Amino acid sequence: MTIYQNLIAGEWVGSDATKNINPSDTNEVVGLYADGTVEDTKNAIAAAKAAFPAWSRSGIWERHVILKKAGDEIMARKDELGALLAREEGKTLPEAIGETIRASQIFEFFAGEALRLAGEIVPSVRPDIGVEITRDPLGVIGIITPWNFPIAIPAWKLAPALCYGNTVVFKPAELVPACSWAIVDILNRAGLPKGVLNLVMGRGSVVGQTMLDSPDVSGITFTGSTGTGRRVAAASIEHNRRFQLEMGGKNPMVVLDDADLDVAVEAAANSGFFSTGQRCTASSRLIVTEGIHDKFVAALTAKLETLVVDNAMKSGTHIGPVVDEKQLKTDTDYIEIGRKEGAKLAFGGELIKRETPGFYLQPTLFTEATNQMRISREEIFGPVVSVIRVRDYEEALATANDTPFGLSAGIATTSLKHATHFKRNSEAGMVMVNLPTAGVDFHVPFGGRKGSSYGPREQGKYAAEFYTSVKTAYTLA
Ligand code: NDP
């Protein structure tokens, strides 16, 4: 079998490899992907550092053309790349193709941003002096990504990093190297000079840690768990380097008595269970007022009965498998914890067998949960959702905000007053009214508050805040 190698200083290198296994069919090896070493990572950082002076001064048209070419190729190959994504991560084929399209759109967006780079000229308070405010690239950016969005998250970090003139060392999650390899191959062939983009696949404790320990990495953008995020933060402070963290969530969706029941059930089913609940923006707490509680639970349970859990590649599958055995164990451990804490298992909770061997779990719904239970406070990152009964809107809002996280929050209501109040008073970075908490646009800011995020927002124009450093220059006329 071919080994998909690392890209370091413009050369494909590496002979040791790890198997990429399909979670829908564990007999299938998606491919063999290089297992990077400390030395590979150091070489990649050195190559990115050497390539920075020229790339940071490259023309905006060159950057535009390369990013546009990459976006166009990803779009042209959306079915093939979507299938690769579904096979390595386990989200359904339509979800995977949708994610691939989003990756293409992100490259298109930043291809445009390259042409819109601008600064400001303002008068000084002193006569005859002009002041220019411009943005410089940071230098070498370390990109560390998780497994749950194998093409979109790499895209939303790679595209702005390159657009603003930085060079890159990119380490994808070991579980899902295939889409990252494909995207790097596309960018490399689109014409990036040698060393501007370096890919080092391999273990977080080896490749990721070497990036954290390097004084030559000027910025690290990280998406993943809270625990690893803390390591990124500590190491970055040590090196006085900029960092950006996107971490977990325990996103609430409030359902009020006056909600449109169908809208509320669709939003809850989508954001709780689609993509196997493995989205940082998934709603894992449904906070429901008394008047609609029983009707809502009955309608949601009826909806869950119609959802098909099966091989991600099969047409008609609504929910693919859990990503791997370790995550499946986490999910089933939390189901056991929920039972012991006294929540009522209203639906699911069991492993399922399908034609192909994989990590299949029923969508699982707990009712009679409290906001103090561990299943309501800790991120599970699987298709496991709790319903918390509350008296009224005020208690719902307080419960929604009573969490260490603050990524996304939703409300289902037909009341303009409550929707408006919720948008203003939710302590989350993203708020959805009558929509799932997951599923966001590619051209507007993404990110959270409290324990969910640290540093500037990702995506859209706001991405410039992380990937550039502002310079203020004074000139005597
Ligand atoms: P991890 O934190 O385990 O991994 C994230 C990345 O960090 C991986 O590439 C991993 O490498 C790497 N890594 C691991 N150890 C180190 C280290 N010592 N130094 C540097 N890098 C390291 O998270 P998961 O991949 O398991 O992702 C799931 C988590 O990510 C969930 O908690 C989820 O909520 C969160 N997430 C948050 C999002 C957000 O935008 N807020 C979006 C998506 C996910 P490797 O895997 O190869 O070991």
Side-chain angles (χ1 to χ4, degrees):
M1 225 177 185
T2 318
I3 295 180
Y4 292 90
Q5 294 172 300
N6 285 321
L7 182 68
I8 299 174
E11 307 297 329
W12 293 104
V13 296
S15 48
D16 289 340
T18 301
K19 283 182 188 164
N20 182 357
I21 302 289
N22 179 350
S24 296
D25 179 357
T26 52
N27 290 328
E28 191 203 356
V29 178
V30 177
L32 292 177
Y33 289 85
D35 197 3
T37 61
V38 169
E39 201 192 340
D40 290 335
T41 316
K42 287 184 173 167
N43 290 341
I45 295 168
K49 191 178 174 190
F52 178 70
W55 182 248
S56 65
R57 287 192 287 274
S58 59
I60 55 172
W61 183 248
E62 182 183 1
R63 295 184 214 167
H64 167 82
V65 168
I66 292 170
L67 294 173
K68 173 101 179 59
K69 256 192 186 172
D72 289 348
E73 182 171 340
I74 293 169
M75 189 64 90
R77 292 172 56 194
K78 67 180 167 40
D79 295 336
E80 170 215 335
L81 293 173
L84 186 64
L85 199 168
R87 282 165 58 222
E88 74 170 340
E89 198 268 353
K91 64 184 66 173
T92 66
L93 187 58
E95 288 174 330
I97 293 173
E99 186 184 328
T100 307
I101 292 171
R102 181 170 169 195
S104 159
Q105 290 166 328
I106 290 166
F107 277 102
E108 297 286 345
F109 179 87
F110 283 103
E113 284 300 277
L115 300 180
R116 283 189 287 267
L117 285 169
E120 282 180 81
I121 296 183
V122 295
S124 163
V125 292
R126 289 164 286 168
D128 301 329
I129 292 180
V131 182
E132 289 165 30
I133 303 164
T134 52
R135 288 183 179 275
D136 285 345
L138 287 188
V140 177
I141 300 283
I143 295 181
I144 302 178
T145 57
W147 48 260
N148 65 335
F149 281 91
I151 198 161
I153 294 182
W156 85 47
K157 294 181 189 294
L158 287 166
L162 297 168
C163 163
Y164 296 116
N166 300 285
T167 56
V168 172
V169 178
F170 169 34
K171 186 230 138 358
E174 210 192 357
L175 266 182
V176 293
C179 289
S180 293
W181 189 93
I183 217 173
V184 168
D185 171 51
I186 289 169
L187 278 163
N188 185 43
R189 283 187 290 97
L192 277 179
K194 282 182 195 298
V196 170
L197 170 59
N198 303 273
L199 171 72
V200 194
M201 301 172 287
R203 277 164 292 161
S205 55
V206 176
V207 177
Q209 193 61 46
T210 307
M211 288 160 73
L212 301 193
D213 294 341
S214 170
D216 292 329
V217 175
S218 311
I220 292 206
T221 174
F222 168 84
T223 301
S225 63
T226 309
T228 313
R230 289 208 182 104
R231 296 176 84 108
V232 173
S236 296
I237 285 167
E238 178 88 6
H239 291 290
N240 202 18
R241 133 202 327 141
R242 190 176 292 188
F243 62 99
Q244 173 185 55
L245 312 175
E246 288 299 340
M247 301 172 288
K250 196 72 200 173
N251 308 293
M253 170 167 291
V254 168
V255 180
L256 297 185
D257 287 355
D258 62 20
D260 177 318
L261 190 62
D262 291 342
V263 167
V265 168
E266 279 306 311
N270 175 319
S271 50
F273 301 101
F274 287 2
S275 297
T276 323
Q278 298 173 152
R279 291 185 285 189
C280 46
T281 47
S283 305
S284 44
R285 293 183 298 144
L286 304 175
I287 300 166
V288 186
T289 48
E290 270 167 358
I292 198 171
H293 180 277
D294 294 355
K295 260 187 295 179
F296 173 78
V297 168
L300 181 58
T301 310
K303 171 83 186 173
L304 295 185
E305 265 160 19
T306 67
L307 297 181
V308 176
V309 180
D310 207 332
N311 191 312
M313 295 296 287
K314 225 173 168 175
S315 109
T317 297
H318 298 109
I319 301 176
V322 170
V323 73
D324 71 351
E325 199 159 6
K326 187 166 151 239
Q327 184 62 48
L328 185 65
K329 176 155 186 340
T330 303
D331 297 349
T332 51
D333 283 353
Y334 272 107
I335 292 170
E336 200 43 42
I337 289 167
R339 278 194 176 118
K340 287 197 177 132
E341 285 179 312
K344 183 177 153 211
L345 189 61
F347 190 87
E350 301 296 328
L351 300 182
I352 352 182
K353 283 214 179 325
R354 289 293 178 251
E355 223 168 89
T356 47
F359 309 112
Y360 299 108
L361 175 64
Q362 286 181 315
T364 300
L365 187 70
F366 280 109
T367 53
E368 310 307 332
T370 70
N371 202 43
Q372 273 58 52
M373 291 176 176
R374 283 184 63 195
I375 53 165
S376 305
R377 300 207 79 74
E378 296 169 18
E379 184 178 55
I380 300 173
F381 221 54
V384 184
V385 173
S386 339
V387 179
I388 301 167
R389 188 195 296 260
V390 290
R391 255 185 339 272
D392 51 20
Y393 170 71
E394 284 68 31
E395 190 184 351
L397 174 66
T399 306
N401 284 339
D402 176 12
T403 169
F405 297 105
L407 187 56
S408 182
I411 187 166
T413 180
T414 51
S415 152
L416 181 61
K417 182 178 141 199
H418 286 139
T420 307
H421 190 271
F422 190 78
K423 280 191 275 184
R424 290 201 184 133
N425 292 285
S426 163
E427 292 170 6
M430 297 179 290
V431 182
M432 314 288 179
V433 178
N434 293 321
L435 287 166
T437 54
V440 294
D441 285 2
F442 64 88
H443 66 304
V444 290
F446 176 95
R449 298 180 182 175
K450 301 202 275 189
S452 290
S453 302
Y454 186 92
R457 290 286 183 265
E458 302 202 70
Q459 298 201 93
K461 283 187 187 315
Y462 288 69
E465 299 302 326
F466 177 75
Y467 293 97
T468 62
S469 179
V470 170
K471 180 179 280 166
T472 314
Y474 295 78
T475 312
L476 177 64

